[in-house]
């Protein structure tokens, strides 16, 4: 909707009005002077004012508000919809009858949803009251009455009804009873706020005025025009205009600065910001005629007024549901105020201009759309505008709309930079109050823009050009540089430098040198004799390179574990976004930037780590050849690797794929921003945010970066919980990870610049900067990067000539450059292997880098230095290329025999003396060798002041060093040529006797007190030209040359600390090195050399003589020692030296008043933007996590950012499988994530493995004389033969090693067994082994493979929670009452049960027949009692059953029903009655058996009705422990040899399914005659017993088939907690029933350290009682004041007998021939007491006790079968102990009397005890006596 009030320009010249208005605004005393645009468009404003006045009419307040409503149409009679029948119609109440009046609700607690506000509505029937309602704030105006979304959204706070989408509907609900059309502007009157007492009160009036007023009065619409971006052309992209042209040739250039528009990142034009307002005024008349004929027709410009623009800025109509205040259309029209203190524009310092540019350039938008047509006449851009202006004018978008522009739009750039500086500030007036700023002092947006333009107009020529370059993006910088090089505009610059040479053209001079070198000249021949170093004395030894394999350091391992921990956290979350249990292996793909060196470097580390072999992806033979398949350069050509990775991920659901996006901050371009010139841009987005990759459940994305804040915006895909920050290796000077090296990063370089460091590692070159300034003044139209590069080339060329002996060139280079070049050329002299230093020269422009490479190579060749050092051009897309001479040297040093070998990474250039020219817009994460001594960053892009851009450049020099020790200097710089005339120390230092070495830590502490910048940061060449003469005249290759007279680094030996992740090898200090050079001695040497050039100063002369006398004797020995050191040793003993532009240096080292580095306040990246310019700064001590939250709150992604699409999809949240690893540059991130892959693979393997008990059976008796021929491996037992076997009473299960042995004759003959006292915690002592899970394993809840999803209930097609609860009641004679159990039966399992037809009552559980033959079905129902193991219990039997149909029932306690149902929604559950909540496993076994027998009877009746025989119903059930994990089958093959020698059995044990085991046992002939069938416990130590006896008649444990028919009269003891299976086995055998163990099968039990019997904790009922309770406290005397315990009485009794029976039965201890007689039960009395079990039942089978004398008698809950006559058959030792246990004291006395115990046993009153339970817990009582 447009604006029709834009008027025409007045007849006054636009330029004069502009100048006068700016001047008047600046001189005005009014805080908010009249806007300049209001003066320029007075006609339009007068017209608008007149229209507004005409529209006004007298009336009430409501009538005025109605004028500003959504429509200006006449009032229509409104018929209110009748209220629903029966609802409330009382005024002040809603239709639900809830009071809405403010007076009634002022103290009510009202829940307001997010994004809603409490509003007071006025009712015409209650004028004295306000009605409280909740309204979506998007439909309300802001503080300026603007930006209210049309329509309505509100809630009723009375009844809570929500979702009213129309105000008409809402007004009816709150009973406004209107007679006119309801309008929110008329009835929503006030904000409601809380006062100091917390009561709700009337707040400020809602500002509806002017928000949407008069929007319908305009006859036509107009919108803000946006210039379309023209195609790039040389004329439009490279022309540079000086300030003179701005001021004199065309006034429209500056006029354009005040217009509006929007630029693009592709805009490559110059911003013209040259002249002051006074210059414009003076020059306007002179060029009036030119302007008059060629400028834009400003008389025809149509400019919408401010108010008109606001009318256009409103929201769309109601049908536009997608509009919100956050959309771009709303943001464009926000009226913003900014803090004046934060936007002060008074300083003219270049650094401040840079900061302003940094703030503004970040707001460049994407492509510019074509201007929309308006009703006004268009403004024509003349064709000859560019010719007149000599550059493209830049129109800054300000306050208001831009008229329609047409014509030659290619010559104009429209920029919103000024507008974006101040946007989003006035929409937060309360934010100013929070920061103690008064709202009344905030300048208007228009005023701020005018002040900014006025400030820009005051800039001089160089500052204007400086700021203009900052308007260009880094990409546009390179384009303009390339254009200047291609068009030859730099020719004048080259000619200028050539003219500086003292002998004319510098090429001519070099040619003369070349002729002299070849013997064709005589005058210069002597100079080149210095290059013959064959006679130079070299050291006899040289440090040898120690290149080992990739080494992982403790901190890298710690980071890898943190990564793994986060992955496990994702897997453990309830979202099920990652199922680690379903993966068998790990695969990966690493994405790296399109740099050949970075690609080869990453691939080398993959090879060295051996990760491919470890993950099983490749063999050792193919790993090196196939490594390239796992590393991908982000280029269009390499996209096939990703497609292969994607296909592997889709085809391998059981492989976890890790997509590693290394250097993730590099390419943030959205995948939709495709560029033909750079097709790789946006490729990272198309891969990382690929829909298939994001949705693949087996793909995990890891983004790795040193600059995480570029990915931490409001639209980030990465959860803050999924960020892994590199830890600090030291905390409070404590080495946390025991590292032998210390990371030396940016903060350490900055610390070296403060007082305490005489030789800082971070410097700038002031003489170089001075020359740059002079040349830029001479060539103002030349791009600064071209000028800087040409000057640096000149310096390096002159330095090489000076090094060659031509001192006349010393004045054409700086001391810093001389230091670099001389150190490089002299380095090889001190090593017999010609090891040298590397100099890294950073030139971002590839074209300029190529120019520098060509020029420096030419100079080097003509000077004959081509064999002394190499010059290498490093570009992103090319491989490293060096000459054959140096290639041979590298092969010799590294002992490489491959004739085709070439260096592939910069690390391969170790020890090579070279200048590496590193080009490319950004570094790509390449690592550099430890021999890199200098990092020359003087040419980095100073115009791109972004935090990422600067930090990644400064991060090039980061490295590892040996940590400092007390009394040693770890960071020492060579006292080279640049240090000669730097002030060293005071006079007091010269007289100092003590030698103290200052360490880094000391300097850091000193700098906290007084952070003074060291003088040595500045250039030395700016202070003394005589020093330069001294340097250049010295012989650079003689032992007494300039360098050796001052260079004395410490002796050191190299130590390999690995290269993983960019770490470097640094040496350890030699402990025997005593000739270390203290700092004060370095100062003496320095002063001595300085004073050689200051002999005219008497004070200096005196200092010289004093210094010489003090230090000369020490200096000689140090010179001899240090001059013989290998350059590798020197370079390895210290971090490199970094040279920066002065501007960058000051930014990096600058801190604000709170101590926060200035660099941290910069915008993170050009692809992100601040939410508002009014945002808090980072705090000084912010952690990485706090910084992440800061950037997530205050930055947003631009349209070209890869995360921008997430902002469009508001339903999308954080990606659940994406992590971010953040670590400083060169810290070792590559090695860390490769180690992460390793431990992740090991963990997955570990998840596929379990710890199973591996214990040999105990109490095995030796059997002699058996015959193997008689014991063949029979598949099934023969009933007749098996019945003749004797029962083995001895317990062989190793878990009962602590239990009492069961008496048998074999036990006596073997005199028992060795009893080793063990701790009670069996989980700490039992032996286990790790086993790989087979495909037939049972799983816990963490396993979610695709095959068993439906079985587990996670298949979407099944309804897992649609389960019903059924009661099942039966009579139990043992309990003496009816028992009611509950079944939880899922719908999917109802076919296993029988329900009654009328009411669907549960009748029975289906049982098969003995005659059924179904190979895909298991007959026996499986019951698994469990407690406390809802997560870890192995209840997933899908794979164990091999997919066969089976019935599995979990037996759980009532209080655990909900949690088990949650984790196992598709399992049948049998819920025990609540009275068994505190019972042990015996109760579960008892009820399972009772239920099963009752169900068997029901099924027999049902089958009989169907015509089947009752005895044909299957009588077996399976009772399995919840830790049974795998089953094995043992096959034996006994072979005979020709000599009839004893044959060795060949055993073959294999994993089999549970289905196979059960079907095999179920197929046993006459199986119904067996009471119990089971398998043995698995052990890796297979004994001969298993070969001899395929079947055993012995105890069964943990896994058994129970015949509920035969064992009808034998019950489990429902009271037991321990050993209930041994007790049950003995009673089954005594009943004459068969127990058969299949020795060919074994079950593996997983070690589960939680749940089971460990859920029972014995603790006191008294809160303050001690936690440790001894077993002797488990009992007490009746009626005593003993502390009662909160534990079941049976558990206390069993634990007491287990631990204290040695005192209770003293005659029984280790007395195997005289056991304790236990009648009808087995209780554990400890491993040293033997128990003899006998049954009192008639016709029972008992052990022969004739002639056996017992040492004790144990009577436990005796029933009527135990009589006095039975007991009198047994004989006891004198003094034997009697223990009678009963339910209560009465039963105890009755038992003593009934059994006539007093006849043979003596009792004492004090021998009566009870368990330490209170009466409500029903304690057990027992009486002890002695046999007389």
């Amino acid at each position: 909707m447009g604006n029709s009030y834009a008027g025409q320009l007045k007849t006054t010249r636009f330029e004069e009005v502009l100048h006068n208005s700016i001047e008047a605004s600046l001189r005005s005393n009014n805080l908010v002077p009249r806007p300049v645009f209001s003066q320029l468009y007075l006609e339009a404003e007068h017209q608008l004012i007149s229209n507004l006045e005409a529209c006004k009419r007298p009336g009430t307040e409501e009538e005025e508000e109605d004028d500003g409503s959504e429509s200006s149409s006449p009032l229509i009679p409104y018929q209110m919809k009748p209220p629903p029948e029966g609802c409330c119609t009382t005024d002040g109440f809603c239709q639900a009858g809830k009071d809405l009046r403010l007076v009634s609700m002022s103290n009510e607690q009202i829940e307001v949803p997010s994004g809603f506000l409490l509003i007071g509505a006025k009712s015409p029937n209650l004028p004295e009251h306000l009605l409280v309602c909740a309204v979506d704030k998007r439909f309300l105006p802001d503080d300026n009455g603007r930006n209210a979304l049309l329509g309505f959204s509100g809630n009723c706070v009375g009844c809570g009804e929500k979702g009213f989408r129309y105000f008409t509907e809402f007004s009816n609900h709150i009973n406004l009873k209107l007679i006119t059309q309801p309008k929110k502007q008329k009835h929503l009157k006030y904000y409601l706020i809380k006062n100091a007492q917390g009561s709700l009160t009337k707040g400020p009036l809602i500002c509806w005025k002017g928000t949407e007023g008069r929007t319908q009065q305009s006859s036509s619409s107009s919108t803000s025009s946006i210039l379309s971006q023209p195609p790039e052309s040389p004329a439009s992209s490279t022309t540079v205009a000086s300030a003179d042209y701005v001021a004199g040739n065309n006034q429209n250039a500056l006029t354009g600065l005040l217009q509006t528009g929007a630029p693009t990142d592709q805009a490559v034009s110059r911003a013209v910001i040259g002249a002051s307002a006074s210059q414009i005024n003076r020059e306007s008349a002179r060029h009036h005629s030119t302007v008059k004929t060629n400028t834009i027709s400003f008389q025809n410009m149509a400019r919408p007024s401010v108010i008109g623009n606001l009318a256009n800025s409103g929201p769309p109509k109601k049908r536009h549901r997608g509009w919100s205040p956050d959309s771009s259309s709303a943001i464009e029209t926000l009226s913003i105020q900014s803090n004046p203190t934060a936007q002060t524009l008074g300083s003219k310092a270049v650094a401040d201009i840079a900061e302003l540019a940094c703030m503004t350039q970040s707001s460049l938008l994407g492509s510019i759309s074509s201007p929309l047509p308006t009703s006004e006449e268009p403004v024509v851009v003349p064709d000859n505008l560019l010719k007149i202006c000599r550059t493209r004018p830049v129109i800054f978008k300000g306050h208001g709309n831009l008229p329609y522009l047409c014509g030659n739009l290619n010559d104009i750039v429209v920029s919103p930079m000024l507008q974006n500086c101040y946007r989003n500030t006035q929409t937060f007036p309360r934010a100013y109050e929070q920061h103690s700023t008064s709202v009344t002092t905030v300048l208007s947006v228009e005023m701020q823009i005018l002040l900014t333009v006025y400030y820009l107009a005051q800039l001089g020529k160089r500052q204007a050009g400086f700021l203009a370059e900052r308007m260009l993006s880094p990409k546009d910088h390179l384009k303009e540089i390339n254009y200047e090089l291609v068009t030859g505009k730099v020719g004048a610059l080259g000619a200028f430098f050539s003219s500086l040479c003292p002998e004319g053209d510098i090429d001519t001079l070099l040619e003369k040198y070349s002729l002299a070198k070849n013997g064709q000249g005589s005058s210069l021949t002597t100079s080149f004799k210095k290059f013959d170093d064959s006679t130079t004395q070299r050291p006899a030894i040289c440090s040898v390179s120690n290149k080992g394999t990739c080494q992982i350091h403790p901190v890298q391992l710690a980071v890898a574990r943190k990564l793994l921990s986060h992955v496990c956290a994702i897997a453990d979350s309830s979202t099920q976004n990652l199922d680690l249990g379903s993966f068998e292996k790990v695969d990966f793909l690493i994405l790296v930037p399109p740099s050949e060196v970075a690609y080869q470097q990453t691939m080398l580390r993959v090879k060295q780590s051996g990760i491919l072999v470890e993950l099983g992806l490749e063999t050792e033979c193919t790993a090196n050849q196939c490594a390239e398949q796992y590393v991908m350069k982000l280029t269009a050509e390499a996209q096939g690797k990703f497609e292969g990775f994607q296909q592997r991920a889709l085809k391998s659901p059981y492989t976890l794929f890790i997509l590693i996006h290394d250097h993730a901050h590099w390419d943030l371009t959205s995948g939709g921003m495709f560029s033909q010139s750079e097709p790789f841009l946006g490729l990272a987005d198309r891969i990382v945010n690929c829909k298939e990759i994001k949705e693949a459940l087996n793909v995990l994305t890891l983004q790795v970066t040193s600059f995480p804040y570029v990915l931490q915006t409001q639209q980030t895909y990465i959860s803050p919980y999924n960020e892994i920050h590199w830890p600090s290796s030291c905390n409070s000077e404590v080495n946390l990870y025991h590292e032998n090296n210390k990371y030396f990063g940016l903060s350490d370089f900055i610390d070296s610049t403060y007082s305490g460091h005489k030789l800082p590692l971070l410097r700038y070159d002031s003489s170089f900067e001075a020359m740059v300034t002079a040349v830029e003044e001479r060539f103002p139209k030349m791009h600064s990067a071209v000028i800087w590069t040409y000057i640096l080339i000149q310096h390096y060329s002159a330095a090489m000539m000076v090094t060659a002996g031509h001192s006349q060139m010393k004045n054409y280079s700086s001391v810093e450059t001389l230091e670099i070049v001389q150190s490089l050329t002299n380095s090889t002299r001190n090593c017999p292997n010609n090891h040298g230093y590397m100099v890294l020269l950073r030139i971002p422009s590839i074209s300029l880098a190529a120019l520098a490479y060509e020029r420096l190579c030419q100079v080097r060749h003509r000077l004959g230095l081509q064999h002394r050092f190499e010059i290498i051009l490093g570009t992103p897309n090319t491989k490293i290329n060096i000459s054959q001479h140096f290639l041979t040297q590298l092969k010799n040093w590294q002992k490489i025999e491959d004739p085709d070998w070439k260096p592939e990474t910069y690390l391969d250039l170790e020890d090579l003396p070279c200048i590496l020219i590193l080009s490319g817009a950004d570094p790509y994460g390449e690592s550099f060798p430890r021999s890199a001594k200098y990092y020359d960053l003087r040419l980095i892009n100073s115009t791109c002041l972004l935090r990422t851009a600067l930090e990644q450049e400064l991060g090039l020099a980061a490295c590892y060093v040996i940590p400092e020790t007390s009394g040693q200097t770890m960071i020492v710089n060579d006292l080279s040529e640049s240090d000669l005339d730097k002030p060293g120390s005071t006079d007091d230092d010269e007289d100092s006797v003590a030698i103290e070495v200052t360490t880094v830590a000391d300097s850091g502490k000193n700098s906290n007190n007084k952070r003074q910048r060291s003088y040595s940061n500045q250039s030395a060449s700016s202070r003394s030209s005589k020093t330069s003469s001294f340097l250049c005249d010295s012989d650079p290759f003689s032992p007494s040359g300039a360098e050796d007279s001052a260079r004395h680094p410490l002796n050191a030996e190299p130590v390999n600390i690995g290269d993983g992740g960019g770490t470097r090898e640094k040496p350890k200090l030699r402990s025997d090195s005593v000739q270390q050079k203290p700092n004060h001695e370095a100062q003496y040497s320095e002063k001595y050399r300085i004073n050689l050039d200051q002999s005219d100063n008497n004070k200096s002369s005196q200092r010289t003589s004093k210094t010489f006398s003090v230090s000369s004797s020490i200096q000689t020995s140090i010179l001899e020692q240090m001059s013989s050191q290998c350059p590798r040793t020197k370079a390895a003993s210290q971090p490199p030296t970094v040279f920066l532009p002065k501007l960058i240096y000051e930014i990096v080292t600058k801190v604000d008043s709170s101590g926060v580095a200035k660099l941290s306040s910069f915008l993170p990246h050009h692809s992100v933007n601040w939410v508002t310019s009014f945002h808090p700064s980072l705090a000084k001590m912010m952690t990485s996590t706090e910084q992440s939250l800061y950037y997530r709150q205050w930055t947003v992604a631009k349209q070209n950012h890869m995360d921008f699409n997430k902002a469009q999809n508001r339903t999308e949240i954080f990606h659940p499988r994406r992590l971010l690893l953040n670590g400083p540059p060169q810290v070792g991130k590559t090695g860390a994530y490769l180690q992460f892959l390793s431990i992740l693979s090991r963990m997955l393997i570990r998840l596929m493995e379990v710890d199973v008990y591996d214990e040999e059976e105990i109490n095995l008796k030796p059997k002699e004389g058996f015959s193997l021929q008689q014991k063949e491996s029979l598949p099934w037992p023969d009933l007749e033969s098996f019945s003749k076997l004797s029962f083995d009473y001895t317990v062989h299960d190793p878990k009962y090693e602590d239990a009492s042995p069961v008496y048998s004759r074999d036990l006596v003959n073997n005199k028992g067994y060795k009893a080793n006292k063990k701790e009670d915690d069996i989980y700490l002592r039992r032996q286990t082994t790790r086993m790989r899970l087979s495909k037939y394993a049972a799983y816990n809840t963490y396993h979610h493979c695709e095959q068993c999803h439906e079985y587990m209930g996670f298949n979407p097609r099944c309804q897992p929670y649609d389960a019903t609860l059924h009661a099942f009641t039966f009579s139990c004679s043992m309990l003496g009452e009816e028992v009611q159990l509950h079944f939880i039966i899922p719908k999917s399992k109802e076919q296993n049960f029988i329900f009654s037809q009328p009411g669907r009552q549960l009748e029975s559980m289906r049982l098969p027949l003995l005659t059924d033959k179904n190979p895909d079905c298991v007959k026996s129902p499986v019951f698994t009692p469990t407690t406390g193991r809802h997560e870890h219990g192995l209840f997933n039997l899908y794979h164990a059953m091999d997919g066969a149909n089976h019935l599995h029932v979990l037996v759980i306690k009532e209080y655990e029903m909900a949690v088990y149902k949650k984790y196992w929604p598709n399992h049948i559950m049998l819920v025990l009655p609540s009275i068994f909540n505190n019972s042990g496993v015996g109760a579960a076994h008892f009820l399972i058996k009772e239920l099963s027998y009752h169900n068997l009877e029901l099924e027999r009746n049902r089958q009989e009705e169907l015509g089947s025989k009752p005895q044909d119903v299957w009588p077996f059930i399976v009772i399995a422990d919840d830790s049974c994990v795998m089953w094995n089958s043992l096959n034996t093959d006994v072979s005979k040899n020709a000599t009839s020698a004893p044959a060795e059995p060949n055993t073959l044990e294999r994993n089999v399914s549970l289905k196979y085991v059960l079907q095999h046992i179920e197929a046993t002939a006459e199986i119904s005659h067996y009471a119990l069938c089971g398998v043995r416990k698995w052990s890796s130590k297979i004994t001969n017993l298993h070969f001899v006896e395929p079947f055993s008649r012995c105890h069964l444990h943990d896994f058994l088939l129970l015949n509920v028919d035969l064992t009808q009269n034998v019950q489990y003891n429902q009271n037991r907690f321990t050993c209930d299976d041994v007790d049950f086995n003995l009673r089954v055998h005594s009943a004459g029933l068969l127990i058969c163990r299949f020795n060919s099968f074994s079950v593996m039990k997983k070690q589960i350290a939680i749940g089971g019997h460990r859920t029972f904790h014995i603790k006191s009922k008294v809160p303050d009682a001690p936690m440790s309770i001894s077993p002797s406290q488990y009992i007490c005397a009746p009626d005593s004041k003993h502390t009662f315990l909160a534990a079941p009485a049976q558990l206390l009794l069993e634990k007491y007998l287990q631990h204290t029976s040695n005192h209770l039965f003293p005659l029984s201890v280790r007395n195997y021939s005289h056991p304790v007689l236990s009648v009808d039960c087995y209780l554990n009395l400890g491993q040293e007491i033997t128990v003899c079990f006998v049954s009192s039942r008639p016709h029972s089978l008992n052990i022969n006790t004739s002639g056996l004398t017992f040492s004790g008698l144990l009577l436990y809950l005796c029933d009527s079968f135990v009589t006095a006559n039975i007991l009198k058959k047994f004989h006891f030792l004198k003094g034997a102990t009697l223990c009678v246990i009963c339910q209560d004291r009465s039963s105890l006395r009755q038992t003593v009397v009934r059994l006539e115990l007093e006849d043979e046993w003596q009792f004492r009153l004090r021998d009566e005890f009870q368990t330490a339970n209170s009466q409500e817990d029903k304690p057990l009582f027992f009486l002890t006596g002695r046999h007389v």
Side-chain angles (χ1 to χ4, degrees), residues 634-680:
L634 286 173
T635 59
E637 296 78 10
Q639 196 166 358
K641 291 183 182 180
F642 170 70
E643 294 174 356
F645 174 82
Q646 187 175 356
Q647 291 298 322
R648 297 200 309 271
L650 295 176
K651 294 179 180 178
S652 305
Y654 303 118
T655 300
L656 179 58
F657 291 85
I658 311 296
L659 181 63
I660 302 173
H661 185 197
D662 204 349
H663 219 64
H665 62 274
W666 170 73
D667 181 16
L668 300 177
T669 310
S670 172
M673 302 289 181
F674 183 78
S675 173
Q676 292 291 345
S677 60
E678 295 175 304
F680 56 83

Side-chain angles (χ1 to χ4, degrees), residues 742-752 761-762 951 954-961 971 1000 1135-1136 1138 1148 1224-1227:
K742 175 186 179 295
Y743 178 75
F744 200 90
L746 177 58
S747 60
D748 301 286
F749 280 102
I750 295 175
D751 285 343
S752 73
L761 301 172
L762 205 62
E951 287 188 356
L954 298 169
L956 289 173
C959 61
Y960 276 92
V961 297
I971 302 171
V1000 177
V1138 181
V1148 169
Q1226 307 295 331
V1227 78

Side-chain angles (χ1 to χ4, degrees), residues 120-369:
K122 296 208 65 171
S123 172
N125 300 323
L126 295 173
E128 70 279 5
H129 287 284
L130 287 178
L131 305 185
V132 183
C133 54
V135 180
D136 191 332
K137 63 182 180 182
R138 296 180 299 170
F139 298 87
L140 299 173
D142 57 17
D143 295 341
N144 299 312
R146 305 170 185 168
N147 300 322
L149 187 64
L150 295 185
F152 177 79
S153 176
N155 301 336
C156 177
V157 299
C159 64
E161 185 173 350
K162 301 179 180 179
F164 291 97
R165 303 300 298 170
Y166 299 95
F167 187 71
T168 301
E169 178 187 8
F170 185 70
S171 63
N172 292 338
H173 179 77
I174 62 176
N175 290 318
L176 290 185
K177 300 178 182 179
L178 304 177
I179 59 174
T180 60
Q181 178 71 31
K183 296 181 181 297
K184 62 181 181 181
Q185 295 91 336
K186 184 174 182 179
H187 300 285
L188 301 182
K189 300 293 295 183
Y190 297 96
Y191 293 105
L192 300 182
I193 60 175
K194 286 192 175 183
N195 58 17
Q197 290 74 30
S199 300
L200 200 64
T201 60
K202 182 173 71 174
L205 190 70
I206 299 177
C207 182
W208 291 107
K209 297 280 187 178
T211 304
E212 301 161 279
R214 287 79 178 173
T215 56
Q216 302 294 330
Q217 296 177 8
S218 58
S219 59
S220 60
S221 62
S222 62
T223 59
S224 298
S225 301
I226 302 178
L227 288 177
S228 59
Q229 175 62 29
E232 182 184 344
S233 62
S236 64
S237 63
T238 60
T239 306
V240 183
S242 65
D244 299 276
Y245 283 108
V246 176
N249 292 352
N250 190 359
Q251 304 303 316
N252 292 324
L254 185 61
T255 301
L257 295 177
L258 300 177
Q259 303 305 310
T260 58
T264 67
D265 284 340
Q266 290 77 22
V268 295
S269 66
R270 282 300 192 131
V272 183
I273 317 170
S276 64
S278 59
Q279 289 175 311
I280 298 174
N281 195 26
R282 289 195 306 268
E283 300 291 340
S284 59
R286 184 167 46 141
H287 297 281
H288 177 66
S289 59
T290 303
V291 174
K292 192 172 185 179
T293 57
N294 295 297
T295 57
I296 303 174
S297 301
F298 288 103
Q299 288 75 8
N300 295 326
M301 291 179 64
R303 197 258 186 213
S305 69
V306 175
I307 301 180
N309 182 46
L310 295 176
N312 187 34
S313 66
K317 289 297 184 180
K318 294 181 181 179
R319 63 179 179 272
H320 299 293
R321 295 295 185 185
W323 188 90
S324 71
D326 297 330
S327 62
S328 58
S329 61
I331 293 176
E332 284 293 318
T333 57
L334 291 177
S335 178
I336 306 160
Q337 294 181 352
S338 178
N339 188 349
T341 61
Q343 303 291 344
T344 302
L345 299 173
S347 173
K348 295 183 181 180
V350 177
D352 293 337
I353 303 172
E355 295 173 15
L356 173 65
C358 170
M359 177 178 61
T360 57
Q361 74 168 10
S362 62
S363 59
L364 298 178
L365 301 177
S367 58
I368 300 179
S369 60

